[in-house]
C-alpha cells in the first residue's frame, strides 16, 4: 500500500480492541497512516458502522474515494459472536454498568432458552438502549443518560436473520447472531432476559462479519507496536 493508494481509496479491515471507541480507532489509524506515508494533515477517512467500546471485532475503515462506499457497507447484514448472562441485568444492557436485579433462574431449562432465542428470528420491534450513540435533539443518548437525565428511546423495526451455534453453560448463553443494519445486540440480550422473566445482559460481543467482509481478514497491527492507546484521545 502506498500514499497514492490511500489517497485514491482503500478499504482497511481493523480488529477493534476492547474498550476502544470506533472514533478512537479511526483516529489512531489516521495518525499512523499520516506519519508512515507522509500524508497531508487532512485526508478522507471514516468507518462504516460503529462498534461499541465493550465490543471487539470487525471495524471497516474507508479512505479517499472509497468513503463513498460507507453507506452501502453500513447497510450490509452483520454477524456477531454473542455471550449473555441470565438472571441479572445492568442499566447499560452490557458490562459498562454494574449488575442489578438479580433473579433466581434455577427453573429455566435449556429447552426454554433455545425456544426463546428462536422467537427473535425474523422482523422484530426493538428499543435501543439509552446508553447508545443515537442522537436525541442533537445530543447523544449516552451523554444524557450518564448525566442522569431521563431518556425516551423509540422502538424500531429490525431483523434477526438467524441465531445458531447455541451453547448453554448457565448462567451464560453463547450464540451467533446474523442481523440487519441498526440491530442492537445489547437490546436483544435484554429482551431475551425479559422474555425468560429472569433478566439478562450482554457480557461479550465480537463482530465477525459485515456483508462480504470478515474479521478473519482484519488486522490490529496499525493499533499496536509504538502506537499507544490514550483513553483521552
Amino acid at each position: 500500500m502506498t500514499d497514492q493508494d490511500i489517497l485514491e481509496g482503500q478499504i482497511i479491515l481493523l480488529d477493534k480492541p476492547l474498550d476502544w471507541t470506533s472514533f478512537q480507532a479511526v483516529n489512531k489509524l489516521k495518525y499512523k497512516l499520516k506519519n508512515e506515508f507522509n500524508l497531508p494533515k487532512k485526508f478522507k477517512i471514516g468507518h462504516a458502522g460503529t462498534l461499541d467500546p465493550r465490543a471487539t471485532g470487525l471495524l471497516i475503515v474507508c479512505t479517499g474515494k472509497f468513503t463513498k462506499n460507507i453507506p452501502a457497507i453500513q447497510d450490509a447484514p452483520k454477524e456477531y459472536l454473542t455471550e449473555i448472562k441470565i438472571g441479572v441485568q445492568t442499566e447499560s444492557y452490557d458490562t459498562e454498568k454494574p449488575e442489578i436485579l438479580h433473579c433466581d433462574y434455577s427453573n429455566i431449562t435449556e429447552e426454554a432458552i433455545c425456544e426463546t432465542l428462536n422467537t427473535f428470528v425474523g422482523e422484530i420491534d426493538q428499543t435501543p438502549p439509552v446508553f447508545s450513540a443515537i442522537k436525541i435533539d442533537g445530543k447523544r443518548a449516552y451523554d444524557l443518560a450518564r448525566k442522569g437525565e431521563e431518556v425516551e428511546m423509540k422502538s424500531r423495526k429490525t431483523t434477526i436473520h438467524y441465531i445458531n451455534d447455541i451453547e448453554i453453560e448457565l448462567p451464560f448463553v453463547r450464540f451467533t447472531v446474523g442481523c440487519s443494519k441498526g440491530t442492537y445486540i445489547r437490546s436483544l440480550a435484554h429482551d431475551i432476559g425479559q422474555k425468560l422473566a429472569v433478566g439478562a445482559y450482554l457480557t461479550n460481543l465480537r463482530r465477525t462479519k459485515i456483508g462480504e467482509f470478515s474479521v478473519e481478514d482484519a488486522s490490529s497491527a496499525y493499533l499496536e507496536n509504538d502506537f499507544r492507546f490514550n483513553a483521552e484521545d
Side-chain angles (χ1 to χ4, degrees):
M1 187 164 58
T2 67
D3 57 343
Q4 277 306 114
D5 291 333
I6 296 168
L7 293 173
E8 281 295 315
Q10 289 287 298
I11 293 179
I12 301 171
L13 307 184
L14 293 181
D15 188 347
K16 187 188 81 65
L18 185 69
D19 288 334
W20 288 48
T21 68
S22 300
F23 179 77
Q24 286 167 334
V26 172
N27 267 4
K28 294 296 184 181
L29 175 62
K30 182 178 181 180
Y31 176 86
K32 187 79 170 181
L33 293 175
K34 182 168 71 69
N35 284 275
E36 185 171 321
F37 294 95
N38 196 28
L39 296 171
K41 188 174 182 179
K42 292 185 177 180
F43 65 96
K44 288 184 177 180
I45 187 169
H47 68 77
T50 301
L51 195 56
D52 285 342
R54 298 301 297 166
T56 66
L58 184 59
L59 182 69
I60 299 179
V61 179
C62 300
T63 72
K65 295 177 182 178
F66 281 26
T67 54
K68 294 179 180 178
N69 296 340
I70 287 177
I73 295 172
Q74 288 177 326
D75 286 343
K78 317 291 191 299
E79 183 181 90
Y80 298 89
L81 298 180
T82 306
E83 179 188 78
I84 68 173
K85 183 178 180 180
I86 72 168
V88 63
Q89 302 178 53
T90 74
E91 287 184 295
S92 60
Y93 300 174
D94 65 3
T95 57
E96 180 181 341
K97 291 292 184 178
E99 293 184 348
I100 56 174
L101 303 176
H102 289 77
C103 185
D104 179 19
Y105 59 86
S106 59
N107 65 326
I108 302 296
T109 65
E110 292 190 4
E111 183 181 7
I113 291 171
C114 291
E115 288 178 355
T116 298
L117 292 176
N118 286 331
T119 65
F120 286 91
V121 177
E123 186 178 73
I124 61 173
D125 286 308
Q126 185 181 81
T127 302
V130 293
F131 288 87
S132 66
I134 291 174
K135 285 190 175 182
I136 299 175
D137 296 328
K139 296 180 180 179
R140 299 289 186 187
Y142 56 66
D143 287 332
L144 298 172
R146 285 166 185 158
K147 290 178 182 178
E149 297 184 28
E150 188 172 336
V151 182
E152 183 179 351
M153 308 299 292
K154 296 180 179 179
S155 67
R156 55 175 66 180
K157 296 287 186 183
T158 190
T159 302
I160 304 298
H161 299 301
Y162 54 84
I163 294 178
N164 54 31
D165 301 325
I166 301 170
E167 297 179 4
I168 301 173
E169 191 176 347
L170 293 177
F172 297 99
V173 181
R174 303 175 188 92
F175 48 91
T176 300
V177 179
C179 57
S180 65
K181 170 189 174 182
T183 302
Y184 280 87
I185 307 300
R186 283 183 289 151
S187 290
L188 177 63
H190 175 78
D191 293 344
I192 290 168
Q194 295 304 298
K195 198 152 193 175
L196 288 169
V198 295
Y201 74 96
L202 185 67
T203 50
N204 203 345
L205 185 68
R206 180 166 176 78
R207 186 157 66 191
T208 52
K209 292 180 181 179
I210 302 176
E212 63 185 27
F213 300 101
S214 172
V215 74
E216 294 179 359
D217 301 315
S219 172
S220 58
Y222 279 109
L223 308 177
E224 295 173 347
N225 303 324
D226 61 332
F227 200 42
R228 298 199 311 165
F229 171 56
N230 182 344
E232 296 181 355
D233 287 354

